[in-house]
Amino acid sequence: MNRKSANLLLSFEADEIFLPVVTAFVEKAASCFGLAEGEALMLTLAAEEVFMHLCRKATRPGGPLEIACSNGGYFARVVFSLPCDAFDLKAFNVTASISLDDEAELESMGLVIASRSVDRFVLEREKGGQLRLTLIKEKAYPPLPPLEPVAASTLSKTALRSPSPAELKFISRLAMSYYDRSALSDILLHPGKLSDMMTAGEYECLAAVGAAGEIGGAIFWRRLGEKMVECFGPYIFNQPESCAMSENLLEGCISAVARSGAVGIMNIGPPPGFPADQFELLGTFDSHGPHGSSTLIEAWFRMLAEDMGVTVWVYPELEAFICRQYAKLVLPREIRVDQPSGETVAPHSVLCAEFDRPRGRVTLRPMWPGADAADNIARHLTLMKNENIANIHFAVDLGQAWQSIFIPGLLEAGFEPRIVLPYAGKGDVVMFQYGGERQ
Amino acid sequence: MKSFSGLERLVPDYIKNFEAYIPSKPDDELKKLYGCSRLYRLNNNENPLGPPETARRVLEAFEPARASLYPSGDCYHLRSKLADIFGMHPDQFLAGNGANEVIAFVIKAFCQQGDNIITADKTFAVYEWVARFSGFEARLIPLVNYGFDADGMLERIDERTRIVFICNPNNPTGSWWDQAALRSFLDRIEGRCIVVVDEAYREFVEDPEFPDSMKLIADYPNLVVFRTFSKMYGLAGLRIGYLAAGNEVVDIIRRTCVVYSVNTMAQAAALTALDDTGHVARTREVVKTGKRFLLKELDLMGLPFVNGEGNFVMVRLPISDSLAYRKLMTRGVMVRAMTGFRFPNWIRITVSHMEALEAFVDAWSKIQREGRDFQALSKTLCQLRSV
């Protein structure tokens, strides 16, 4: 058995009596997967709190519960799966706070601790009323020491191949030598993590390599959900424009994923010299700098396969924008205009927040619908503003009708729809950007 | 519906890592999807003349009552006829539900865990797919000048290589090995593995230097030849193809062959299709005329192309092939986007009848014009913004 890629499963009845088993299971698994003691304990703490909350609030006494631990290479993952009726997950919002005077809120303290102890969490509702709650804790990587810039030589002939782990680190240094850090994908700033991500198969890379092993350029990509690939680059190091290395790297990347089952590939904010004729421009985001500067970030996309057409669920006020986007992209879609009609929903919604602090950016995504959707958006907005995050995005999956409950609150708060990312979720995803208060 | 919690445990890793191929929707659905009233199919290299007249008559006379009877389980009469035509024994032939099925027969017959097959990176995808979803490694050798690279393939052969697949002429580039090249390759293989030569487009080639693979079987007992009735003989909808090889090899492959998989109507149509000697010449004439027109128009439109043997031409576009596919679909023209063949920004056009080719040229001209108008408008807007 490959210990590193093991998927460990604990299947039992949800009963607090099993708590020591759960904590031992998660801690030992995290440790085996390579998390340092501190991270393993944080993950264990989160798992403990979630388990206790689920036993008390979410399942019938003695109901079935599965806990799976798996190794993501640069992270360890714990997944809770249980049949579940609605229960309040409000505490998983990054905005959640607990009043020590409120006994009901105190009961959620554990979830607040859990959500702060891990790097990512995902809530998914599956068919048949099954709930999947995923906790992810990443390994800690040492900060990158200051490195001398390195130089690349001009290459007359190159071949494309996957780089070795050592070459990968060198590519990271080359990228930092030839590009402004703000123009680089985050992955290139953490070479150790990148190496682990590649080993885990989360990222792939092609490098343009000369006869003596010199590196002239590279492109990276990763799978994003079931149907989408995201690529980064191509990054070219000191090569003449006429050499077509950019085109070759991009074609190599597309060819590598062409028979992978992914239906599309996107590139958001590509570096200068991106061979745009192979892609379609989806639109732009504003990128606000810390001192009031602003640039446009382009989002590019292309299909890898024939478009089969999908159904999208669209809130009425969004219909005109969506129709314009689909007409521009020549994407056939069955557009179903839909909005909440007074049906019963949980009182509290949940949003997850993905932070990209070097770029002052956060992307919010709906995890759970709730009657407080608009207020929840407003709370998140206030928090992000207080944290001086200038670029606030919100992703709504048009393939999941329940997410339309967030649209009125988004529009009211001053978010604007900017682009549609085909197949980036269960269906197409519309990306909003906060543009300021509505006048 | 109740979820199947134990499913994951039952699925082999090579299946988990394999994504199902989703074929195009039927024409009526596509027309609805893209809002077009008629659809010219230039995507599958189908014969615009349809089946030969002899096969048509058989199909028209087919008695519905025969549908209740099982077909010949091993295409008895068809194999006998093929044997007569090629001067071989009926037992040297195996028919399948399209040539795709015989690919699976061969891989199942010769590969076991840890084995590999070798083919090109940019060729018909099914050799690679069947190998991968059966749990075998597919070693993909880059084409050289759009053709199969004999040296590259020979370099990658090892003791676990069981089959080399050569598509001759290659779909989609149309490149081909002549008799000398194929013989040389087989000589260098020295019987270390099975060599499959897929001749799906063989009947479109008039060049006398094209290999007579059926005759080569006598000299090379490790050679397997694939043919199909889907292309030249216009029977794609009935799904029938076959392989030919030496007795010993066929005897092994027969063990993995699913009998009764070729239906009665397909067998009857294929049997008579071979009698229509004029059909091949007529189809070749259509392809010749169509190519003459298409290549001239591609030149006029400034589109680079790769034109080899076969009833198709590969065209390089200045935009993404998948976008071109969608734009052409809205104008009722369906081509093959080539990203799936690892040729991003290329499309493959079937050389069909003139009306369809004219529809393609007209549609693409309009798309190009719109593209230029859009670029001019964007430029003007940028200039206005900077003022």
Side-chain angles (χ1 to χ4, degrees):
Chain A
M1 186 180 77
N2 180 354
R3 190 184 66 170
K4 287 190 169 177
S5 64
N7 194 18
L8 307 171
L9 186 68
L10 200 58
S11 186
F12 56 115
E13 293 173 353
D15 190 320
E16 290 178 26
I17 198 169
F18 291 117
L19 179 63
V21 180
V22 172
T23 52
F25 172 62
V26 173
E27 188 182 347
K28 297 291 180 202
S31 180
C32 285
F33 295 156
L35 257 59
E37 190 181 356
E39 284 83 46
L41 283 174
M42 297 277 264
L43 184 62
T44 307
L45 175 66
E48 177 183 341
E49 296 296 347
V50 169
F51 175 72
M52 292 302 284
H53 190 88
L54 294 178
C55 286
R56 289 175 191 155
K57 294 282 182 186
T59 66
R60 297 183 304 278
L65 176 65
E66 277 189 359
I67 304 178
C69 290
S70 56
N71 186 5
Y74 68 100
F75 64 84
R77 172 174 38 215
V78 181
V79 181
F80 292 84
S81 303
L82 64 155
C84 180
D85 299 326
F87 75 107
D88 201 343
L89 292 157
K90 177 188 174 188
F92 276 104
N93 285 298
V94 73
T95 53
S97 60
I98 301 294
S99 164
L100 295 175
D101 302 325
D102 186 328
E103 206 164 303
E105 283 197 354
L106 269 176
E107 285 190 342
S108 297
M109 176 73 94
L111 288 189
V112 175
I113 293 168
S115 67
R116 303 297 194 277
S117 306
V118 294
D119 294 299
R120 281 177 276 164
F121 80 91
V122 182
L123 279 173
E124 292 162 291
R125 291 189 298 182
E126 297 187 326
K127 282 176 186 166
Q130 196 80 358
L131 175 83
R132 269 169 65 92
L133 202 159
T134 305
L135 304 172
I136 288 173
K137 185 70 187 170
E138 293 186 5
K139 288 182 192 171
Y141 290 86
L144 197 65
L147 294 168
E148 286 295 313
V150 287
S153 47
T154 305
L155 303 171
S156 57
K157 198 177 174 194
T158 57
L160 302 185
R161 65 164 168 79
S162 297
S164 68
E167 286 174 325
L168 204 59
K169 286 184 173 176
F170 190 65
I171 288 169
S172 171
R173 276 186 74 182
L174 280 168
M176 282 185 268
S177 303
Y178 283 98
Y179 287 89
D180 188 282
R181 284 191 180 207
S182 63
L184 289 176
S185 164
D186 205 32
I187 55 167
L188 282 162
L189 306 179
H190 301 94
K193 183 174 175 181
L194 175 59
S195 182
D196 280 355
M197 285 170 151
M198 301 270 296
T199 307
E202 184 153 330
Y203 279 80
E204 289 182 70
C205 175
L206 265 185
V209 185
E214 315 96 309
I215 291 171
I219 189 166
F220 299 84
W221 65 94
R222 66 166 171 168
R223 197 68 182 249
L224 205 65
E226 284 178 23
K227 295 177 183 165
M228 182 59 68
V229 171
E230 183 176 21
C231 69
F232 307 89
Y235 301 105
I236 306 298
F237 316 125
N238 194 33
Q239 303 302 317
E241 273 182 34
S242 57
C243 73
M245 191 181 284
S246 242
E247 287 80 359
N248 293 340
L249 281 165
L250 195 57
E251 279 204 16
C253 165
I254 294 170
S255 296
V257 298
R259 290 182 183 170
S260 67
V263 297
I265 180 167
M266 65 180 184
N267 192 325
I268 296 181
F274 176 69
D277 63 343
Q278 303 201 12
F279 277 61
E280 303 160 40
L281 182 64
L282 291 174
T284 58
F285 295 110
D286 296 314
S287 177
H288 303 293
H291 308 296
S293 61
S294 183
T295 52
L296 282 181
I297 302 287
E298 291 174 341
W300 294 89
F301 161 85
R302 65 166 285 147
M303 295 287 291
L304 294 168
E306 284 177 24
D307 190 276
M308 297 293 175
V310 289
T311 299
V312 293
W313 300 88
V314 177
Y315 191 79
E317 275 195 64
L318 217 52
E319 189 183 3
F321 168 80
I322 296 291
C323 289
R324 273 199 311 276
Q325 296 298 308
Y326 286 139
K328 181 180 84 175
L329 297 169
V330 203
L331 283 172
R333 292 292 181 264
E334 184 175 338
I335 297 175
R336 293 192 186 154
V337 179
D338 186 48
Q339 59 186 315
S341 311
E343 55 270 43
T344 304
V345 288
H348 297 116
S349 59
V350 182
L351 298 176
C352 90
E354 296 166 7
F355 290 94
D356 180 358
R357 293 198 187 268
R359 286 173 188 74
R361 189 168 65 207
V362 68
T363 304
L364 302 171
R365 294 177 194 278
M367 292 276 109
W368 205 265
D372 72 339
D375 290 341
N376 200 10
I377 290 167
R379 283 194 294 274
H380 278 78
L381 206 45
T382 304
L383 178 79
M384 302 310 160
K385 284 180 187 170
N386 289 341
E387 294 200 12
N388 289 322
I389 292 172
N391 303 292
I392 307 170
H393 297 181
F394 198 107
V396 174
D397 190 337
L398 300 178
Q400 305 210 62
W402 62 266
Q403 296 197 4
S404 67
I405 198 169
F406 292 91
I407 304 294
L410 282 172
L411 298 174
E412 182 57 34
F415 281 86
E416 294 168 358
R418 298 297 292 260
I419 61 170
V420 172
L421 290 172
Y423 297 103
K426 288 247 194 282
D428 302 335
V429 169
V430 57
M431 294 297 298
F432 290 78
Q433 182 165 22
Y434 178 63
E437 305 289 343
R438 256 193 182 182
Q439 300 299 310
Chain B
M1 198 172 73
K2 204 173 171 190
S3 71
F4 184 3
S5 59
L7 180 62
E8 174 118 349
R9 189 176 48 83
L10 301 177
V11 184
D13 282 346
Y14 55 83
I15 296 293
K16 282 181 196 158
N17 298 327
F18 190 85
E19 299 285 343
Y21 174 75
I22 313 287
S24 300
K25 287 186 174 172
D27 285 10
D28 56 332
E29 289 295 322
L30 286 171
K31 283 195 271 190
K32 257 192 278 175
L33 202 59
Y34 285 95
C36 51
S37 54
R38 52 114 177 89
L39 194 59
Y40 291 109
R41 295 173 58 92
L42 301 179
N43 63 322
N44 277 341
N45 301 342
E46 292 150 348
N47 188 336
L49 296 183
E53 191 53 40
T54 45
R56 277 177 197 274
R57 284 199 292 270
V58 167
L59 294 174
E60 282 163 5
F62 189 82
E63 292 168 30
R66 290 177 70 191
S68 65
L69 306 176
Y70 280 98
S72 162
D74 60 357
C75 301
Y76 181 88
H77 292 301
L78 178 62
R79 291 190 299 109
S80 298
K81 180 133 193 176
L82 291 168
D84 288 346
I85 290 171
F86 294 112
M88 294 159 71
H89 192 277
D91 285 350
Q92 289 186 268
F93 294 90
L94 287 174
N97 191 259
N100 282 356
E101 194 180 40
V102 300
I103 294 172
F105 294 164
V106 176
I107 289 178
K108 278 186 225 162
F110 293 103
C111 294
Q112 58 185 318
Q113 197 178 11
D115 289 342
N116 66 72
I117 64 120
I118 288 180
T119 188
D121 60 343
K122 297 175 178 180
T123 187
F124 187 51
V126 179
Y127 323 126
E128 178 187 340
W129 284 339
V130 175
R132 284 183 50 217
F133 67 57
S134 304
F136 312 123
E137 182 192 359
R139 296 186 175 175
L140 308 176
I141 313 304
L143 295 182
V144 172
N145 294 328
Y146 299 109
F148 270 67
D149 175 14
D151 292 336
M153 289 193 291
L154 286 160
E155 268 173 35
R156 294 297 306 280
I157 290 176
D158 63 17
E159 71 282 2
R160 298 307 301 266
T161 301
R162 292 291 174 264
I163 311 165
V164 176
F165 284 95
I166 296 153
C167 190
N168 204 40
N170 185 33
N171 171 18
T173 59
S175 63
W176 54 280
W177 284 359
D178 61 15
Q179 179 96 353
L182 182 57
R183 265 193 181 279
S184 163
F185 184 75
L186 288 162
D187 288 339
R188 292 165 73 191
I189 290 278
E190 294 176 318
R192 283 173 290 164
C193 56
I194 298 291
V195 175
V196 170
V197 179
D198 184 347
E199 296 187 338
Y201 295 93
R202 193 261 170 272
E203 294 88 352
F204 292 93
V205 187
E206 293 183 68
D207 195 312
E209 294 301 314
F210 194 85
D212 189 341
S213 307
M214 293 297 187
K215 282 223 169 73
L216 289 178
I217 288 171
D219 293 342
Y220 298 96
N222 59 328
L223 175 63
V224 178
V225 180
F226 288 176
R227 298 269 176 100
T228 180
F229 286 94
S230 297
K231 305 301 178 187
M232 175 57 82
Y233 292 104
L235 297 176
L238 296 182
R239 311 307 300 131
I240 179 163
Y242 62 96
L243 64 78
N247 287 88
E248 282 178 313
V249 166
V250 172
D251 183 49
I252 298 296
I253 301 172
R254 186 176 287 113
R255 300 172 197 195
T256 66
C257 178
V258 179
V259 291
Y260 296 103
S261 70
V262 182
N263 69 68
T264 308
M265 200 182 252
Q267 290 187 37
L271 189 66
T272 53
L274 294 165
D275 294 331
D276 195 331
T277 48
H279 177 79
V280 172
R282 281 192 297 276
T283 303
R284 285 176 175 172
E285 194 51 41
V286 168
V287 172
K288 208 179 287 177
T289 308
K291 273 199 180 180
R292 204 178 302 129
F293 167 79
L294 182 61
L295 300 186
K296 187 174 147 222
E297 291 295 329
L298 292 172
D299 267 336
L300 288 172
M301 293 188 290
L303 295 176
F305 55 81
V306 172
N307 170 42
E309 291 292 352
N311 60 340
F312 50 85
V313 174
M314 217 172 74
V315 183
R316 167 95 198 191
L317 300 179
I319 61 171
S320 140
D321 55 316
S322 49
L323 174 62
Y325 167 86
R326 304 196 303 273
K327 287 189 169 187
L328 286 165
M329 283 297 286
T330 62
R331 290 174 165 81
V333 179
M334 189 178 187
V335 296
R336 173 67 65 199
M338 295 301 288
T339 297
F341 275 82
R342 303 196 174 96
F343 275 111
N345 280 31
W346 291 79
I347 56 171
R348 190 192 63 197
I349 303 168
T350 302
V351 181
S352 186
H353 52 79
M354 287 304 291
E355 185 186 324
L357 294 176
E358 281 166 355
F360 164 75
V361 171
D362 181 53
W364 182 256
S365 302
K366 284 177 180 150
I367 291 167
Q368 252 182 336
R369 210 158 36 239
E370 282 172 8
R372 279 196 290 268
D373 291 347
F374 180 74
Q375 279 173 352
L377 181 65
S378 304
K379 207 171 166 185
T380 310
L381 286 172
C382 285
Q383 282 164 351
L384 284 172
R385 204 178 292 163
S386 62
V387 170

